[in-house]
Amino acid sequence: MKPTVHDIAAHAGVSLATVDRVLNRRPGVRGVTRDRVENAIVELGYVRDVAAANLAKSRLYPFVFIVPTSDNSFMVALRREVEEVAKRGAIDRLDLRVVDVPAFDAAALARAIENVRADGPSGVALVAVDAPEVADAINRLVEDGIPVVTLVSDLPTSQRQHYAGIDNISAGRTAASLLGRFAGGRQGSLLVLAGSMLVRDHRERLEGFQSVVASDFPSLSVLPVLEGRDDPKIAEDLVTNALRHHPDVLGIYSLGAGNRGLVRALERRSAETHIFTIAHELTGTTRKALQLGLIDAVLNQDPGHEVRSAIRVLKAKADKQPIVEAQERIRLDIFLKDNLP
């Protein structure tokens, strides 16, 4: 005979209302009590028909996405994907909310997480900044029973349950392999344009890039990284100044955003020699630059896949269901002007 919610309540020594709150991930249950109920569920072997329960109760999943505000084209696309999913929220039983935070601002992100925590959502997805206060804020969410997924930039030092994004070290290694081959054995330097070393995805891309250059292309040297804050004007000034002071630059790796500024700097060059350039994310700017030959390759991740993956994972965590790891793997695409979609 299958165990019932009455059996769980008796086994845990709690009321049926408490069991219902735990099963449906609602607030109002102390951590120790929640643990007692969840242990009873495991010990009794209770299995819910999650789909039927959700349909019968017309359950909504209140999820929050915390996204940095900037004119970064990829982040704009990420937000647009969340908003598109939110439009059909009633169909998918989703109640999605977007919270804005300044880009690369750890203190603001930590405050936003604390504010979200007070609302008790069923799950949170966020673009992480690698800072202790952010990790602590994420940990408090998880300790409250609120699942957390990091998007694009990970924070594995926290208790977040999943990361929806590409392997950034592999992306950096790929960029180095391409630029090394483009350089064709010539001796010179490589320029790296980042947004900020405060975010793990940019640091990991740089780590992968530097390791391959050092091991496979000894004739090339990597200049000190430029941090453009994903701001086109700052990026343009930094790249223009660097090219002026380093005439031996053979290649550029733009591992963040700010690519409009990078393209403007490349357009203004009077030198006849081509600088091989690799950028991240296929946007209107990078697509046109590929077509014009100003950029040679674009490494791309699909923001729609990442948003949908985050939602699937948050739903699974809220329902205590397993994650299909293969389905959640985010692919890195490499685009040249010859294979543009």
Side-chain angles (χ1 to χ4, degrees), residues 130-147:
D130 195 352
E133 59 265 43
V134 176
D136 290 343
I138 289 174
N139 293 345
R140 285 190 285 273
L141 278 178
V142 175
E143 288 161 5
D144 284 355
I146 300 171

Side-chain angles (χ1 to χ4, degrees), residues 26 74-75 141 145 148 155 159 165 188 260:
R26 288 197 291 269
F74 181 79
M75 290 303 168
L141 278 178
V148 176
L155 190 50
Q159 296 177 34
R260 291 200 304 277

Side-chain angles (χ1 to χ4, degrees), residues 251-273:
I252 298 175
Y253 176 34
S254 176
L255 56 78
N259 287 318
R260 291 200 304 277
L262 168 64
V263 169
R264 287 198 296 266
L266 292 173
E267 288 174 330
R268 287 169 47 185
R269 289 182 67 246
S270 57
E272 294 181 1
T273 56

